[in-house]
Every structure is written in structure tokens, then in C-alpha cells.
Amino acid sequence: MVFAIIGILTAIALPQLISQRRLLRSAGVSREIVTQLRFARQQAMTQRQAFTFEYDNVNKQIRVIDHNASGTSVLTDGAFPMSAGSAVVVTSPLTIGGLSGSEVTYGIPSGYPNGALGDGVSKTDLTNGRIWITFQPDGSVVDVGGNPVDRAIFIYNNKIPKETATAISVIGSAGRIKVWKYVPSTNAYAE
């Protein structure tokens, strides 16, 4: 009788434990993206030179690149983001804690709101499977003409999209980084 009760409780609890473990590992992905974005911005401001945050969707990793230069010239270099003098200072895999790369999905789940976030920033499309966000010495993110550009990274675990759909926006003019979580009850991303 005791073993039967233990067996039933285990059968009920095990799927819940597996689900919670997947949820925790998936939450770690968005936390790592935010951490490395803030690190890149802080380094740009502290060292007074351009730093690029790179999200690589193919390899499911993040790199932070020190350009050892300032200004928008690093953006026009034909070898960007690895222009002469540049060095990778951080490489961080997103498949941490046993999370499979096939579960980490860039984009917005089907049927979810795909308009701009509450701060007006829309999803940034991948270029060759990557996104580059280059912080200038004042912490801003600009294009080659010096105009502020906003960026937003949308990411989720395709096995549990409702619980893991997240967006991270960067306001170009100030470099402010915001985290948005999908809220099923309102069918919207909330800060």
C-alpha cells in the first residue's frame, strides 16, 4: 500500500519537476541576454569606446566584442563586427544547464502579438542568423549616420512558449535596456 502511494505521488510529481526544470533553464536564457547587453553597454561607457553585443541564433550563443575604437566608424568597416583591433571579450552559450539548442527559438510564437512593445520598439530581424547591437561611448546605439536605432530581441522555448516568451528592448537614444514578459491573460508583453 505504501509503495503504491509513493508510486502515484511520483507519477504526479515527476512531470511537474521536469516542467519546472525546463522553465528555470529557459528563464536563464533571457537573463543571460540581459546580463551581457548591460555588460556591453557598461564597458562602452567605462572604456569610452564602442562595444558590440552579438546574438548568434545559429550557434545559440552571445559574444561581446571590444572594438578598441570609438564612433560609428566601426559600423562601416567591411570586417564588422570583427574589424582590425577588435577582440571578443565574452562568449556565452545559451544552452546552459542541459537546455537543448533546438528549444531556444528566436522570434514571436504563432498567434502572439507581433506589434511594437510598450516602448514602441519592434522585433529586430536577424541578419545572417545574427543581431548586432553596438553601444557607443555615451551608452547609445546608433546607425552609421549617427542616428539612434532601437532593437528588440524576442526569444522563447518552443516547448513551453506561453511560459517563456520574452522580449528585450534597447532604446537607441539612451541605450536603456528593458525586459518584457508575455502575459497570457492580457495577450500582451508587459515590462
Side-chain angles (χ1 to χ4, degrees), residues 13-127:
L14 194 57
Q16 292 296 325
L17 289 172
I18 291 170
S19 175
Q20 286 302 315
R21 185 173 172 212
R22 177 175 283 133
L23 185 59
L24 286 171
R25 289 183 300 188
S26 298
V29 170
S30 57
R31 277 194 307 271
E32 185 64 17
I33 291 171
V34 170
T35 297
Q36 296 308 331
L37 275 166
R38 289 182 175 150
F39 173 76
R41 182 173 186 264
Q42 184 233 357
Q43 290 300 304
M45 294 173 70
T46 302
Q47 297 187 30
R48 306 297 299 154
Q49 56 194 21
F51 272 74
T52 295
F53 165 93
E54 176 188 72
Y55 168 75
D56 180 348
N57 193 51
V58 175
N59 297 310
K60 306 297 184 194
Q61 72 177 9
I62 296 167
R63 295 191 314 169
V64 175
I65 302 162
D66 178 356
H67 294 290
N68 291 305
S70 61
T72 58
S73 62
V74 298
L75 300 171
T76 58
D77 188 307
F80 177 83
M82 291 306 296
S83 49
S86 295
V88 175
V89 293
V90 172
T91 300
S92 180
L94 294 177
T95 52
I96 46 181
L99 184 65
S100 167
S102 64
E103 292 180 53
V104 178
T105 305
Y106 182 81
I108 301 169
S110 179
Y112 286 42
N114 58 9
L117 295 165
D119 58 5
V121 182
S122 298
K123 179 176 78 82
T124 302
D125 292 329
L126 297 170
T127 303

